């Protein structure tokens, strides 16, 4: 692996390692499986890509993978097996050289290897697997069934055909039990065939030389068939286990893709790891939130338990210290690791491209169904895959939270800037007018005639009212955002509300013509009269700002089924199409080409808030009959008031 890395650095190319998982993988010892897992982890630490693929022939699988992935160099160690073993089983290096084609094959001297670290070898009790006796009992039953069938078929079949009956029992043993039970079935089948069917019967003596040849051929065929069938079975078992693991990982990834909150993500991760590996799990995240692990270092920050399975699990202070060390140093620690191996838990950092986002702690001694205190290589690879998926999901949720915070900060900054702009303009302008008029009255009042003094006093009153409206709008918006608006609805005559609003806005609309067109017999509406009056005042004030002097502003009321519609129409320039959807936003004002209209940009937002608080709606658009804007209020009709209306009419 290190030679391949040096070659890749000289060629400035990517590199990786491939492990071909054949049927022999199920028969490997735990030490061999640990060595394979350690080598693959070494590849990842060195910056390579570790790949495990199933296959029946190592050389063919490696060449196929190399051709598929545009590999230009293959590095393999020289075999240390004896010559007779290579002649019998073949040489992977020789097969690669013959089949590689244009790919360069580097055959290097095999190192003597280093002793396995004690942390990856499971306990002796875990390595000693319990002897499974039931496959041999089943094999005996298959042979007994074949013997019974042979006695029945012997009357109609020739002697040589009896071997096929026993061969069926051997194949059944290989399919259900594997290689060893099938070899056992082969032996007892040969003995049973000789004892019960080859003359002289009921002895192991064979009188006819032809029967000796038949028995030997049957023995060879049964051994070969059992070996091939057991190999196919082993490959099927490996493929089935790999498919089950792949399916679990796929379902886990789908579950993570649908999670939007950090708590749900951590719970799903803890449960999945505990269910697949039969261990106890805790997940630790930084106290100041995930996502900033790349900046961590010794003595910087800490982690705390955020989720676990079972939920009642707790970790002691010594184990928590090991978790903090893994977080700060980005290295495994605890049980089975090089650092603090005496801890009860094994802590593994959760890494992404941004750094460490959290720590996973597992207790292999607490899970039900486990036979050892350490993870097997396959379990460790599965755990690494689960941790990688969970780390990416945590980073995704963290990035989404960062985006939301950024959007909120940007919106807050926009509103703050708009508020400061509005305050600087809409406070200073009326205050300047008030201050100038008051100064003139104080300094030059005795020298002015009565009409000039009244004009200055009127200016002070008008600007003070304007300032009062500005402050009232700010207070109303604050009440809306805090939820303090509680409408007191009731049956209200709409003409009275319209009249009150027009009276309040009369000074603002003094330079416009105002027309009121309320349909006869307009029903009463279920509203808060004070809030609707303020909403109408804001609409009329807005129309006065954007409609030219001398133009007509119309207030129209019509019944539409169970609703009542009120329209405020002006004869201004209308609303630009790009501003129709945003005109009710806070601090948003439509800008004319020649000048910016006075105002805070709160009037229409307050209008919508008041109307919607009473169950109504307000929309904006442009007139179709001529230039100008139209604002439509839709209000709910009051309950049946026919008796009251008849009494009022009388």
């Amino acid at each position: 692996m290190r030679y391949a890395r040096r070659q890749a650095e000289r060629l400035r190319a990517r590199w990786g390692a491939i492990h071909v998982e054949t049927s022999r993988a199920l028969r490997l010892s735990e030490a061999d499986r640990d060595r394979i897992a350690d080598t693959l982890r070494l590849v990842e630490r060195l910056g390579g890509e570790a790949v495990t693929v199933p296959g029946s022939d190592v050389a063919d699988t490696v060449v196929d993978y190399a051709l598929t992935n545009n590999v230009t160099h293959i590095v393999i160690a020289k075999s240390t097996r004896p010559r007779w073993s290579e002649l019998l089983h073949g040489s992977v290096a020789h097969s690669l050289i013959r089949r590689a084609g244009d790919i360069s094959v580097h055959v290097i001297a095999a190192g003597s290897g280093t002793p396995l670290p004690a942390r990856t070898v499971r306990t002796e009790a875990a390595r000693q697997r319990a002897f499974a006796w039931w496959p041999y009992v089943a094999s005996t039953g298959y042979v007994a069934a074949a013997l019974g069938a042979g006695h029945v078929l012997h009357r109609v079949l020739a002697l040589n055909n009896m071997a096929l009956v026993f061969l069926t029992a051997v194949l059944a043993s290989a399919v259900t039990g594997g290689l060893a039970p099938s070899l056992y079935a082969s032996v007892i089948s040969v003995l049973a065939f000789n004892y019960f069917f080859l003359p002289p019967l009921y002895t192991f003596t064979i009188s006819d030389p032809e029967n000796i040849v038949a028995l030997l051929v049957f023995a060879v065929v049964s051994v070969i068939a059992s070996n091939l069938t057991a190999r196919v079975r082993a490959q099927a078992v490996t493929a089935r286990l790999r498919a089950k693991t792949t399916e679990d990982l796929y379902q886990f990834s789908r579950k993570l893709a649908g999670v939007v909150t950090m708590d749900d993500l951590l719970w799903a991760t803890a449960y999945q790891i505990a269910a697949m590996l039969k261990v106890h799990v805790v997940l630790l995240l930084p106290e100041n939130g995930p996502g900033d692990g790349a900046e961590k270092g010794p003595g910087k920050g800490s982690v705390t338990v955020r989720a676990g399975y079972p939920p009642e699990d707790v970790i002691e202070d010594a184990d928590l210290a090991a978790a903090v060390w893994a977080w700060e140093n980005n290295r495994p620690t605890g049980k089975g690791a090089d650092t603090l191996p005496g801890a009860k838990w094994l802590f593994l950092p959760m890494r992404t491209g941004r750094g460490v986002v959290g720590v996973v702690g597992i207790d292999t001694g607490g899970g039900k169904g486990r036979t050892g205190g350490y993870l097997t290589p396959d379990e460790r690879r599965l755990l690494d895959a689960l941790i990688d998926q969970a780390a990416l999901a945590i980073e995704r949720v963290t990035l989404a939270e960062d985006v939301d915070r950024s959007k909120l900060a940007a919106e807050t900054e926009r509103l703050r800037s708009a508020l400061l702009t509005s305050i600087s303009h809409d406070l200073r302008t009326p205050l300047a007018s008030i201050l100038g008029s008051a100064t003139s009255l104080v300094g030059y009042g005795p020298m002015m005639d009565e009409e000039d003094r009244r004009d200055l006093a009127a200016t002070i009153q008008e600007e003070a009212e304007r300032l009062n409206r500005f402050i009232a709008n700010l207070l109303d918006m604050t009440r809306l955002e805090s939820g303090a608006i509680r409408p007191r609805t009731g049956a209200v005559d709409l003409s009275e509300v319209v009249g009150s609003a027009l009276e309040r806005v009369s000074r603002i609309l003094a330079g416009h013509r105002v027309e009121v067109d309320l349909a006869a017999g307009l029903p009463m509406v279920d509203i808060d009269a004070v809030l609707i009056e303020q909403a109408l005042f804001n609409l009329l004030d807005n129309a006065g700002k954007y409609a030219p002097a001398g133009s007509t502003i119309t207030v129209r009321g019509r019944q539409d089924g169970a609703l009542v519609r009120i329209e405020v129409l002006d004869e201004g320039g209308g609303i630009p199409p790009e501003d129709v959807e945003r005109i009710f936003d806070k601090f948003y004002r439509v800008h004319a080409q020649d000048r910016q209209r006075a105002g805070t940009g709160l009037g229409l937002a307050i209008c919508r808030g008041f109307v919607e608080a009473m169950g109504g709606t307000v929309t904006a658009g442009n007139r179709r009959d001529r230039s100008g804007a139209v604002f439509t209020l839709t209000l709910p009709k009051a309950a049946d008031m026919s008796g009251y209306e008849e009494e009022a009419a009388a």
Side-chain angles (χ1 to χ4, degrees):
M1 300 307 150
R2 299 184 188 277
Y3 177 88
R5 180 194 180 189
R6 291 193 296 269
Q7 285 290 102
E9 289 178 349
R10 283 195 291 266
L11 297 174
R12 297 182 180 179
R14 296 183 297 108
W15 72 284
I18 177 173
H19 165 54
V20 181
E21 196 172 57
T22 63
S23 58
R24 292 182 60 251
L26 296 178
R27 302 194 300 271
L28 292 177
S29 65
E30 289 296 333
D32 292 334
R33 295 163 67 88
D34 286 343
R35 185 177 295 280
I36 293 173
D38 288 341
T39 305
L40 295 178
R41 284 195 290 269
L42 173 63
V43 172
E44 294 177 347
R45 287 197 300 269
L46 295 177
E49 179 183 5
V51 179
T52 299
V53 295
S56 58
D57 185 88
V58 176
D60 288 341
T61 304
V62 171
V63 172
D64 290 342
Y65 180 85
L67 294 175
T68 303
N69 293 272
N70 297 323
V71 173
T72 58
H73 295 263
I74 297 177
V75 178
I76 187 171
K78 184 174 61 177
S79 175
T80 57
R81 293 182 300 169
R83 183 65 176 171
W84 64 266
S85 178
E86 290 188 2
L87 293 175
L88 183 62
H89 300 287
S91 171
V92 175
H94 293 166
S95 300
L96 277 176
I97 294 173
R98 285 194 301 269
R99 304 172 190 175
D102 295 335
I103 302 176
S104 300
V105 179
H106 302 252
V107 181
I108 65 173
S112 59
T114 56
L116 278 175
R119 61 182 178 85
T120 58
V121 181
R122 301 180 67 182
T123 59
E124 187 66 26
R127 292 201 303 267
Q128 292 178 351
R129 298 179 181 178
F131 177 76
W133 51 269
W134 69 265
Y136 297 92
V137 175
S139 299
T140 304
Y142 293 145
V143 175
L147 180 61
H151 277 294
V152 175
L153 298 176
H154 182 56
R155 301 174 183 178
V156 296
L157 295 178
L159 179 63
N160 294 336
N161 294 329
M162 292 298 99
L164 299 177
V165 179
F166 286 98
L167 187 60
T168 304
V170 173
L171 296 178
S173 300
V175 170
T176 57
L179 180 61
S182 66
L183 293 177
Y184 166 75
S186 299
V187 173
I188 62 175
S189 294
V190 170
L191 296 177
F193 182 55
N194 181 16
Y195 189 80
F196 290 100
F197 293 100
L198 295 181
L201 300 180
Y202 310 117
T203 65
F204 291 105
T205 304
I206 303 175
S207 58
D208 190 351
E210 293 184 358
N211 292 336
I212 296 177
V213 174
L215 183 63
L216 292 177
V217 171
F218 169 69
V220 172
V221 171
S222 63
V223 171
I224 295 176
S226 64
N227 188 31
L228 293 177
T229 306
R231 180 179 300 180
V232 172
R233 176 183 178 275
Q235 292 178 353
V237 170
T238 302
R240 186 165 57 250
L241 293 176
R242 185 176 295 276
K244 179 63 170 58
T245 302
T246 303
E247 177 66 19
D248 291 340
L249 289 175
Y250 172 69
Q251 295 297 336
F252 180 53
S253 64
R254 291 190 59 186
K255 184 186 301 183
L256 294 184
V259 172
V260 295
T261 63
M262 184 64 71
D263 291 338
D264 292 342
L265 169 60
L266 297 179
W267 167 253
T269 301
Y271 176 78
Q272 190 74 20
I273 295 176
M276 295 186 69
L277 296 178
K278 304 297 186 295
V279 295
H280 288 189
V281 182
V282 291
L283 298 177
L284 301 96
L285 264 63
E287 294 178 348
N288 52 348
D292 55 351
E295 299 177 1
K296 293 297 176 185
K300 296 182 180 180
S302 183
V303 290
T304 182
V305 177
R306 291 284 301 274
Y309 191 87
E312 63 272 9
D313 265 5
V314 295
I315 58 176
E316 299 177 355
D317 293 340
D319 294 319
L320 182 59
V324 173
W325 193 93
W327 159 256
E328 293 179 344
N329 295 273
N330 192 14
R331 291 177 57 189
T333 185
K335 182 179 181 180
D338 295 333
T339 305
L340 302 176
K344 178 182 178 182
W345 295 75
L346 170 63
F347 295 100
L348 303 171
M350 306 174 68
R351 307 183 185 94
T352 65
R354 302 176 66 193
V356 183
V357 298
V359 176
V360 174
I362 59 171
D363 178 12
T364 55
K368 295 182 179 180
R370 293 197 60 84
T371 58
Y374 295 90
L375 294 176
T376 64
D378 291 337
E379 291 172 338
R380 181 60 183 272
R381 288 197 298 271
L382 176 59
L383 177 60
D384 291 339
L386 293 172
I387 290 176
D388 291 341
Q389 290 193 27
L392 292 176
I394 291 175
E395 186 176 51
R396 174 180 58 81
V397 173
T398 303
L399 290 176
E401 294 175 352
D402 292 342
V403 170
D404 292 339
R405 283 193 294 267
S406 299
K407 289 182 178 179
L408 180 59
E411 180 66 16
T412 302
E413 179 63 23
R414 187 187 70 82
L415 293 178
R416 185 186 69 85
S417 300
L419 178 60
L420 291 177
T421 302
S422 297
I423 290 177
S424 63
H425 180 270
D426 293 284
L427 279 181
R428 293 178 63 183
T429 300
L431 284 176
S433 300
I434 293 173
L435 183 59
S437 300
T439 302
S440 299
L441 284 176
V442 173
Y444 306 100
M447 295 178 291
M448 294 181 181
D449 54 22
E450 187 65 22
E451 184 178 357
D452 292 337
R453 286 196 295 269
R454 281 198 302 270
D455 290 341
L456 291 176
T459 300
I460 293 175
Q461 180 183 0
E462 181 180 350
E463 296 299 330
E465 290 176 352
R466 177 180 170 187
L467 185 60
N468 182 62
R469 290 196 301 271
F470 173 77
I471 296 175
N473 280 338
L474 289 177
L475 293 176
D476 288 339
M477 182 54 65
T478 302
R479 292 166 60 200
L480 279 173
E481 292 184 341
S482 64
I485 297 294
R486 296 291 185 270
R488 298 180 180 180
T489 59
V492 177
D493 187 355
L494 198 56
S495 60
E496 296 180 0
V497 177
V498 173
S500 299
L502 289 173
E503 183 178 354
R504 287 181 54 193
V505 81
S506 59
R507 293 177 59 88
I508 301 173
L509 302 182
H512 299 77
R513 294 190 304 273
V514 179
E515 294 182 0
V516 180
D517 180 16
L518 300 179
L522 202 62
M524 304 185 77
V525 290
D526 187 18
I527 57 173
D528 186 322
V530 176
L531 297 184
I532 286 297
E533 180 183 330
Q534 182 62 42
L536 284 173
F537 175 85
N538 289 349
L539 290 179
L540 293 169
D541 181 27
N542 182 78
K545 292 177 183 177
Y546 288 92
S551 62
T552 301
I553 297 176
T554 305
V555 180
R556 182 186 301 163
R558 297 288 186 272
Q559 182 179 356
D560 184 9
L563 302 174
V564 176
R565 298 185 184 277
I566 303 175
E567 296 179 343
V568 177
L569 305 94
D570 61 51
E571 297 179 348
I575 306 173
E578 64 272 10
D579 293 326
V580 172
E581 297 297 330
R582 302 186 58 191
I583 199 170
F584 291 100
D585 293 347
K586 292 180 295 183
F587 299 110
Y588 186 80
R589 289 180 290 176
V590 176
H591 297 278
Q593 295 181 356
D594 54 347
R595 62 189 179 92
Q596 179 174 324
R597 308 295 183 180
T600 61
L602 291 175
L604 295 181
I606 293 171
C607 176
R608 168 171 281 185
F610 284 173
V611 173
E612 291 181 349
M614 291 176 289
T617 60
V618 57
T619 58
N622 292 312
R623 300 179 63 171
R624 297 182 179 180
D625 55 342
R626 56 166 302 155
S627 174
V630 55
F631 291 86
T632 304
L633 276 71
T634 303
L635 303 173
K637 179 184 173 182
D640 188 12
M641 302 290 293
S642 58
Y644 174 80
E645 293 173 355
E646 292 177 359
E647 181 181 351

